[in-house]
Amino acid sequence: MTSSTVLITGASSGIGRALAQRFAAAGHALILVARRESALQSLAQELRQSHGVAVTVIAHDLAIAGAAASLMQRIEAAGLQVDILVNNAGLGFNGAFIDSDLAQVQSMLQVDMIALTELCHLALQGMKKRGHGRILNVASVAAFLPCPQFAAYAACKAYVLSLSESLRHELRRENITVTCLCPGATATEFHDVAGNEGTLIMRMMDSPEMVAEQAYRATLAGRGMIISGWVNKPLPFFLQLLPRSWAMTLAGRAARRQAA
Ligand SMILES: NC(=O)c1ccc[n+]([C@@H]2O[C@H](COP(=O)([O-])OP(=O)(O)OC[C@H]3O[C@@H](n4cnc5c(N)ncnc54)[C@H](OP(=O)(O)O)[C@@H]3O)[C@@H](O)[C@H]2O)c1
């Protein structure tokens, strides 16, 4: 699979944009998906010029029920196939669950879990027929413990990690690999959307380019899980040593906005 077609969701900014740049630099054709078409078009133009790769832009809202099926229909209608699926689109909201806007929570569940799951299922059908494929699902270090202030988001990411590990096991004889990326805090628009300004999380950020480089290598190597950033890597080990309630208290403090 030296020059496969890679579908990247959430390619209009942050980690998805950096992943698009990394896959393009390696000569892969791309299908870029997000809602902001102008951001996707300017990235596509830049990648065609600098790397000479084919780039297809599909503006698509993954928060709508059935979005994954309609996206795959658009991809098939364009005569394309998905050799590598990168389920990166995602969002979270900082704040107490009881005060959250339920419509926002539902749309987060739809993007972070449902569209991701449906895209895995749909893309896997073609991968199985062709006898090869790779999936990269983007979770978070929040997948490793419940996180007060990010309760539903952390639960979504725990789901993504669990799903990815199970799929990887089920597909181990199919020449299809499933990799789960668990980034720590990364300097992207995620924190503007989430409302994270003034939190401890914002004090130690990785660059999206570094995260994308590590994720790209792990995906091509067929690794099961990658925690990006050397500071984050030992996190699951240290969390095991702490009582769960202490770990949650620390996570909740890191996510709480400091008084100005
Ligand atoms: N940044 C961090 O600290 C961090 C840490 C751990 C995990 N992550 C995960 O990393 C992934 C990428 O996030 P990021 O940090 O790169 O944030 P970002 O810069 O905000 O990028 C999020 C991407 O998702 C797309 N998206 C959001 N809602 C969408 C929708 N309804 N339909 C289609 N696309 C949608 C956005 O595009 P449009 O707005 O154009 O639709 C954007 O391209 C997410 O899954 C996030 O949970 C981030």
Side-chain angles (χ1 to χ4, degrees):
M1 274 202 298
T2 43
S3 61
S4 318
T5 300
V6 189
L7 166 61
I8 303 178
T9 68
S12 60
S13 66
I15 297 169
R17 184 184 159 87
L19 279 165
Q21 288 167 327
R22 186 61 187 87
F23 275 103
H28 296 278
L30 299 175
I31 305 166
L32 305 180
V33 174
R35 289 166 303 179
R36 285 171 291 175
E37 186 167 11
S38 59
L40 293 178
Q41 291 292 4
S42 62
L43 175 62
Q45 191 59 21
E46 175 197 315
L47 298 179
R48 286 183 200 114
Q49 278 171 0
S50 47
H51 303 294
V53 293
V55 186
T56 304
V57 164
I58 304 182
H60 206 75
D61 187 350
L62 294 171
I64 296 168
S70 56
L71 173 60
M72 289 305 279
Q73 280 162 9
R74 291 177 72 181
I75 289 169
E76 278 166 29
L80 298 168
Q81 67 184 37
V82 178
D83 301 305
I84 302 179
L85 167 64
V86 178
N87 266 316
N88 163 78
L91 66 159
F93 300 106
N94 190 332
F97 179 75
I98 194 169
D99 299 325
S100 55
D101 175 349
L102 197 50
Q104 270 191 339
V105 175
Q106 285 165 338
S107 116
M108 180 184 71
L109 299 181
Q110 183 69 38
V111 177
D112 292 8
M113 288 197 305
I114 297 173
L116 176 144
T117 306
E118 292 175 353
L119 280 174
C120 284
H121 190 267
L122 294 165
L124 276 171
Q125 311 305 315
M127 290 178 185
K128 190 169 176 185
K129 268 190 213 136
R130 292 188 293 275
H132 61 83
R134 295 194 190 284
I135 296 177
L136 171 64
N137 287 333
V138 181
S140 165
V141 291
F144 297 114
L145 84 163
C147 187
Q149 304 298 312
F150 270 107
Y153 175 75
C156 285
K157 294 304 186 179
Y159 169 88
V160 172
L161 177 58
S162 173
L163 178 77
S164 304
E165 290 186 308
S166 296
L167 293 186
R168 177 182 177 75
H169 192 81
E170 286 182 9
L171 294 162
R172 69 194 180 285
R173 295 192 221 293
E174 300 285 352
N175 195 25
I176 298 171
T177 59
V178 182
T179 301
C180 187
L181 167 66
C182 296
T186 309
T188 70
E189 294 174 16
F190 175 88
H191 302 282
D192 305 330
V193 175
N196 273 348
E197 50 308 323
T199 63
L200 291 177
I201 296 169
M202 301 283 285
R203 297 206 187 156
M204 32 185 185
M205 301 265 238
D206 292 320
S207 79
E209 290 74 23
M210 182 279 284
V211 173
E213 179 64 32
Q214 294 192 1
Y216 169 81
R217 288 182 190 205
T219 304
L220 272 273
R223 285 180 57 189
M225 200 254 289
I226 164 87
I227 301 172
S228 53
W230 64 269
V231 175
N232 305 312
K233 285 189 195 301
L235 199 67
F237 171 76
F238 285 118
L239 287 173
Q240 280 173 5
L241 303 178
L242 290 177
R244 203 158 164 85
S245 61
W246 291 16
M248 277 197 283
T249 302
L250 290 175
R253 281 202 187 141
R256 195 163 305 126
R257 293 182 203 97
Q258 310 294 302

